[in-house]
Amino acid sequence: MSRERLTVAEVAEELRVSPDFVRKQFKRGLPHIRLGERMYLIDREDLESWLESQKVRNPPPKKSSAGPAGAE
């Protein structure tokens, strides 16, 4: 099975960020293959999984124990 592999520049273009930003994400857990001093490849499947793990899921707002404003 052949995996689609992307360069840092391709990932940056797809995500609309700079290549430097993509490289900084390696330290935050973005899986990558290092081929040289500054040559990296990222599996599309790994990228998709990593992006999913970065989603911020806000909890539902807490219900106030106080009644509606002005109700006394």
Side-chain angles (χ1 to χ4, degrees), residues 5-20:
R5 294 198 168 118
L6 305 167
T7 65
V8 168
E10 290 169 329
V11 171
E13 183 178 333
E14 190 170 312
L15 299 179
R16 297 182 180 140
V17 297
S18 72
D20 282 339

Side-chain angles (χ1 to χ4, degrees), residues 47-62:
L47 174 63
E48 297 296 333
S49 294
W50 183 79
L51 285 171
E52 188 66 27
S53 75
Q54 299 302 302
K55 279 187 178 178
V56 176
R57 291 176 174 83
N58 293 328
K62 293 182 181 179

Side-chain angles (χ1 to χ4, degrees), residues 21-55:
F21 178 85
V22 174
R23 284 188 285 273
K24 287 176 185 174
Q25 299 318 298
F26 296 157
K27 292 180 181 177
R28 294 189 66 210
L30 176 58
H32 60 284
I33 301 165
R34 185 174 180 178
L35 299 176
E37 190 61 32
R38 287 184 58 88
M39 178 70 157
Y40 305 94
L41 293 176
I42 299 101
D43 285 336
R44 177 170 293 284
E45 195 173 292
D46 289 342
L47 174 63
E48 297 296 333
S49 294
W50 183 79
L51 285 171
E52 188 66 27
S53 75
Q54 299 302 302
K55 279 187 178 178

Side-chain angles (χ1 to χ4, degrees), residues 62-72:
K62 293 182 181 179
K63 292 187 178 184
S64 174
S65 59
E72 291 187 25

